[in-house]
Amino acid sequence: MDETLLMIPGPTRVAPRVLKAMSENIVNHRSALFGEILTETNQMMSEVFQTENQSYLITGSGTAAMEAALANTLSKGDRVLNIVGGKFGQRFMQITETHRGIPVQLEVEWGHGVNPDDVRYILEEEEDIKAVTIVHNETSTGVANPIDEVGKILKDYDALYIVDTVSSLGGDDVFVDGYGIDICVTGSQKCLAAPPGIAAVTFSDDAWDVVDKTDNQTYYLNMKKYRKIGDATPPETPYTPAVSLIYAMQEALRVIMEEGLEERVRRHKLAAEATRNGVKALGLDLFAQKEVASNTVTSIKMPEGITDKELRGTMRERYRIELAGGQDHLKGNVFRIGHMGNITHREIISTIAALEMTMQGLGLDVEIGSGVAAVADTYLEV
Amino acid sequence: MDETLLMIPGPTRVAPRVLKAMSENIVNHRSALFGEILTETNQMMSEVFQTENQSYLITGSGTAAMEAALANTLSKGDRVLNIVGGKFGQRFMQITETHRGIPVQLEVEWGHGVNPDDVRYILEEEEDIKAVTIVHNETSTGVANPIDEVGKILKDYDALYIVDTVSSLGGDDVFVDGYGIDICVTGSQKCLAAPPGIAAVTFSDDAWDVVDKTDNQTYYLNMKKYRKIGDATPPETPYTPAVSLIYAMQEALRVIMEEGLEERVRRHKLAAEATRNGVKALGLDLFAQKEVASNTVTSIKMPEGITDKELRGTMRERYRIELAGGQDHLKGNVFRIGHMGNITHREIISTIAALEMTMQGLGLDVEIGSGVAAVADTYLEV
């Protein structure tokens, strides 16, 4: 049994009651009993999305849901404004290409958030933008993009607003209806704190109108099939779902309902602040710009003279805490602390304490206790 | 907690030790520890496929794997010989269409197996058949197609041999290398007796050659990505997999290794024989032709004057045994008993006993005990 503390941006630690839910006997996925489970789970999912729209669960990763968003709405040659400021922004662009769309890239420097004015500029200049994709929380850089501001701009245009909230939903403000989001996608294993393997999507009426006019380019992710059988009473999924993972989703969403979404977001915000204050007190530099720093993952520049292997290796081997490295060109240059899901002050304190010890062990000049004190101060100030 | 006995053709009952495996803490899916789990699981999967090829696990249903087979090998206008004798044969044809292929349908009467000579005839008559799809065990009709004989024919042609063994692998003979299968797909929740949500695929060198010449039509199911990262040391999956379900797959495959594949197939064969003998003793007629009757699911004609709701409803509500109904035009005309996975004589006897009681309760003329006796005789004869 592995007791390493996961402080990575997903998968996150899953509560025992959620793990336990998976031990229940498998039931027929076409039974009334499973229909009840799916009904409750879908409803809670829509509550977390803060939408009146129906939600659908897909057995697959968040990437499957990202693909479902585009594969069901793009026709050959459709132009898509892809806002790209990290690895997952790039992924939306790659999926656009896979599904024969033409990406119009709005490149954002990694570590920065998108400037909403740039979005308006492109929508004014470019014709026939069918959809705009944005990653709310860019897991690769620790940046939270201003999806509320971008949503306001999109109200003036016909383009579908497609938002990836894989690593933000349940840990940061996401108001699908309030922000005018047409397609919102998320994953089970991040702030929702369920095991990986389930993705969730929700489509607005405008999005369904486009779907209905679009030829099928995918079978497994064909949302028309999900809608047809998912909107029936009792609801089903078109293909055999991961029954045990749906049990886990149901339980994880019940946990969220008990905590309350607002309180949960507040808890994440505080964990993020505490983490930033802790690492800054240790003399480390944050990678993401201050005003767009993520609620759920903090990216930190690797201190000079220390390798990723030394820092994260020591954290893992000696202190049993798993951090994430940088992705793509950030590999070795940043490391990331995930603070999403069931994260409390305890895990943040332990992580910063271990980081102090790791840094000192690697010969860096840190005052033991200073990082932890900054974390504690953050929590005391509330 | 639901204690209904699942006698449906998947999902099947999952052993407590496999359910328990899912309670383990989630680990980082990009860690050495998870790499070890994936290595062992993939290796066991290849053993069950009886292939020297690498196996890959996909988080999704068997349908996702069926789509992976075609989406990675078809280019626009490619002609595919789809052998269609049931719902899942149809599905391969629909997926062919989704991925811009041109289906050449070999229609087989539902309840019958394909005649291998018909396959040869079409391959002789039709030009440029890029691939042949066949469903080994047609779950919708209870027919096992002669994939060994078809494989022998395909050795004389260039077409890729794509076989769906979703509801047969682990319960019937499948020799991927021995039969010359290029792409074999299966699912976790049938004879492998793991929870639903994981699909497995294996590709021959010839299949990879085609994949390498094919443009990407799918992102989530892009097998080039699965190969690139799956063949690394340690192996990973391109997107976050359902970690808990991989734990379950590992444990379920260990169970299979302990039982021995040959013994497992023998057990399924016997369960199928016993089931057929039991229902025949009750005066019921089998739907599938005798010589192609499935090892894993038995389809039975609905007795005259009895509705599906009455028969399966009584079995479910009164005797807590879940049977499957007919699909598509067989709805109401047949019912199906799944006997796959961890099925022993105990479940077969209970099911046939409950069927006797159900039939008598519905006013049919059955001799209580006659079906059970036929089941017992089958097991005694071994």
Side-chain angles (χ1 to χ4, degrees), chain B residues 279-339:
Chain B
V279 296
K280 281 192 291 187
L282 298 177
L284 295 168
D285 294 322
L286 299 174
F287 177 75
Q289 298 291 297
K290 194 177 166 187
E291 56 282 4
V292 289
S294 161
N295 260 6
T296 64
V297 54
T298 296
S299 53
I300 301 145
K301 293 181 186 166
M302 191 64 68
E304 290 237 359
I306 301 293
T307 65
D308 181 69
K309 202 182 158 177
E310 287 169 333
L311 189 137
R312 289 200 302 127
T314 307
M315 286 291 286
R316 183 191 309 112
E317 302 309 328
R318 181 146 188 184
Y319 299 110
R320 311 302 297 161
I321 295 178
E322 183 118 7
L323 305 182
Q327 291 180 298
D328 289 347
H329 68 267
L330 296 182
K331 205 168 264 186
N333 300 322
V334 308
F335 66 98
R336 294 173 297 153
I337 301 176
H339 31 78

Side-chain angles (χ1 to χ4, degrees), chain A residues 1-4 6 8 10-14 19-20 22-31 33 59-64 67 76 90-91 94-95 97-100 189-190 194-198 216-221 225 238-245 312 316 322-323, chain B residues 1-4 6 8 10-14 19-20 22-31 33 59-64 67 76 90-91 94-95 97-100 189-190 194-198 216-221 225 238-245 312 316 322-323:
Chain A
M1 185 152 180
D2 191 64
E3 277 296 353
T4 301
L6 292 185
I8 59 176
T12 58
R13 188 169 59 84
V14 173
L19 291 175
K20 210 175 148 194
M22 288 193 287
S23 309
E24 288 294 334
N25 275 339
I26 305 292
V27 298
N28 182 359
H29 61 295
R30 307 253 176 252
S31 63
L33 175 58
T59 298
S61 76
T63 299
E67 183 168 17
K76 191 173 179 175
Q90 282 176 343
R91 183 162 294 180
Q94 290 160 353
I95 295 171
E97 285 166 344
T98 299
H99 289 284
R100 304 177 292 158
Q189 80 280 17
K190 309 273 185 179
I198 297 288
N216 300 331
Q217 289 187 63
T218 166
Y219 197 88
Y220 184 62
L221 301 174
K225 286 179 187 275
Y239 316 113
T240 313
V243 169
S244 319
L245 293 182
R312 290 200 300 127
R316 183 193 308 114
E322 183 117 7
L323 305 182
Chain B
M1 185 153 176
D2 191 65
E3 277 296 352
T4 301
L6 291 185
I8 59 176
T12 58
R13 188 168 60 84
V14 172
L19 290 175
K20 210 174 148 195
M22 288 193 287
S23 309
E24 289 294 334
N25 275 339
I26 306 291
V27 298
N28 182 358
H29 60 295
R30 308 252 176 250
S31 63
L33 175 58
T59 298
S61 75
T63 299
E67 183 169 19
K76 191 172 178 177
Q90 282 176 343
R91 183 162 295 180
Q94 290 159 352
I95 295 172
E97 285 167 343
T98 298
H99 289 284
R100 304 178 290 158
Q189 80 280 18
K190 309 272 186 178
I198 297 289
N216 300 333
Q217 291 186 63
T218 165
Y219 196 88
Y220 184 63
L221 301 174
K225 286 180 187 275
Y239 316 114
T240 313
V243 169
S244 318
L245 294 182
R312 289 200 302 127
R316 183 191 309 112
E322 183 118 7
L323 305 182

Side-chain angles (χ1 to χ4, degrees), chain A residues 154-167:
Chain A
L154 260 79
K155 288 200 163 77
D156 300 335
Y157 302 88
D158 280 340
L160 288 180
Y161 190 28
I162 301 178
V163 183
D164 166 347
T165 63
V166 171
S167 63

